[in-house]
Structures are given as structure tokens and as C-alpha cells.
Amino acid sequence: MLFRSIKRISHYSALLGKLSGMDEEQERLLLYSSPLHDIGKIGIPDAILLKPAKLTLEEFERMKTHATLGKDAIEEAEKQLGMEVPFLNIAKEIAYTHHEKWDGSGYPLGLKGDEIPISARLMCVADVYDALISKRVYKEGMQHEKAVEIMKEGRGTHFDPDILDAFLQLEKEFEEVAENFTDIHP
């Protein structure tokens, strides 16, 4: 199930990157670095990650630390390598800032608008769409059409308006990716 989600998110990000004017190298880096967006969740207890109910305020605050944990883990990998690597640099940027919101109400830094790296703005759209359509321990997945409607409501608040518009242009392609890499439930 996790593998399929990673594949979907990689493809969603690349689709958005292409429509957002990225060159082939930037798209390639985005495709391969985007699966690391939630690497910091390895530092979150399973009792929180797998909780089949709404998180408490304290649990949610702990969950939010995954963005910083992810950035720190990737920085440590770079330190161990003794150099910066473009792939890891983008992965670090995405891991740290993909929960920032266009209106500044996101976390961990409260970045707003163009302060948010483009890679993270693209990932935000890809990640939220995938979260909406996917079954989780605490919720059922929803239909594509409902997910699109919810995402439209976040235009200019949660999401960069231009990137959300790109998503809307690509919504059929997103739906096809979701179908190609569907989760299999018992």
C-alpha cells in the first residue's frame, strides 16, 4: 500500500512540474526526490501514525515534527556523504516545507506564498490529493470528484493558485495515475 502511494505521489509531482514550466532535469529530480517527503515519519511513534481515530492536540503537535525530522535526516545523509546532492537537496526542501500553506497558516515555519519553495508547493497539491483519495486507518478514501471539490476550496489559502489551476488542468491524468497505482484492500 505504501509503495503504491509513493508511486502515485511521484507521478503527480512530475505531472505538476511539467505543467509548471520545470525543465526535464528539474522534473526528474522532483520525480525521484518526492517519495522522501514524509521520511521524518520514521521518528513518529506507531501509536500516533496508526491511530484509528482523530489525533489529540498533543499527538498532532508531535506528528507535525515529522517535517523537521525529515529535513534533519536528509541533512545527516548529506553530512555523511560529505557533500550536497541535488536530489537530496530537493528532497530536504520538500520534506521540510510541504505542509506550508499559501496563506501562511501551515507548518513548520509559517511560510507564505512564494516564500514556500516551488517543489514543496507542488508536493502539497500531490500529497493532499493522495491523502483524500486514499484509505487510511482513520478514514475511508473518497472519490476523485469529491477530492477535486475539496481541493478547489483550498485555492489561494491552502494551495498556490497557479499550481492548483495546473492540478485542475491535469485532474484526469491524476485520476489515471490513481487508478494505475491503486491500493489493494483486503
Side-chain angles (χ1 to χ4, degrees):
M1 195 160 98
L2 178 61
F3 175 73
R4 292 177 183 277
S5 177
I6 289 170
K7 294 292 280 185
R8 287 191 304 267
I9 286 173
S10 293
H11 287 282
Y12 299 150
S13 298
L15 284 169
L16 288 169
K18 179 175 262 180
L19 201 58
S20 298
M22 289 186 160
D23 64 33
E24 283 186 33
E25 178 63 10
Q26 291 170 315
E27 286 175 46
R28 187 183 69 73
L29 288 171
L30 189 62
L31 177 73
Y32 294 117
S33 62
S34 61
L36 295 176
H37 74 284
D38 275 340
I39 190 73
K41 285 186 177 177
I42 196 151
I44 305 299
D46 283 349
I48 294 174
L49 288 174
L50 302 175
K51 185 175 179 181
K54 185 175 177 161
L55 299 179
T56 66
L57 184 56
E58 182 179 279
E59 290 168 333
F60 184 62
E61 288 302 314
R62 180 76 185 268
M63 176 65 88
K64 289 180 0 181
T65 66
H66 83 276
T68 303
L69 292 170
K71 174 190 69 84
D72 292 347
I74 295 168
E75 282 178 347
E76 182 61 28
E78 288 178 319
K79 184 177 168 186
Q80 294 293 320
L81 289 170
M83 64 181 165
E84 283 194 13
V85 178
F87 158 79
L88 291 176
N89 196 39
I90 291 177
K92 178 175 52 180
E93 185 177 84
I94 290 170
Y96 194 38
T97 58
H98 75 282
H99 286 290
E100 299 291 350
K101 295 182 181 177
W102 188 250
D103 66 3
S105 66
Y107 65 88
L109 302 171
L111 300 177
K112 182 177 184 177
D114 289 330
E115 295 172 348
I116 306 164
I118 185 74
S119 61
R121 287 182 270 151
L122 295 166
M123 175 52 67
C124 180
V125 170
D127 190 36
V128 170
Y129 175 75
D130 197 64
L132 290 171
I133 65 163
S134 298
K135 181 179 178 172
R136 301 287 195 253
V137 294
Y138 54 87
K139 73 165 194 73
E140 292 297 318
M142 65 180 60
Q143 296 295 313
H144 168 81
E145 295 77 14
K146 176 69 175 163
V148 170
E149 288 307 311
I150 289 171
M151 298 205 43
K152 284 180 184 178
E153 293 171 12
R155 185 182 186 279
T157 54
H158 194 137
F159 308 112
D160 175 330
D162 293 333
I163 293 174
L164 190 71
D165 291 347
F167 163 76
L168 294 173
Q169 287 182 307
L170 294 165
E171 73 168 280
K172 291 301 173 200
E173 288 89 339
F174 268 62
E175 189 173 29
E176 289 171 13
V177 168
E179 289 170 4
N180 288 336
F181 298 105
T182 189
D183 291 332
I184 300 168
H185 304 293

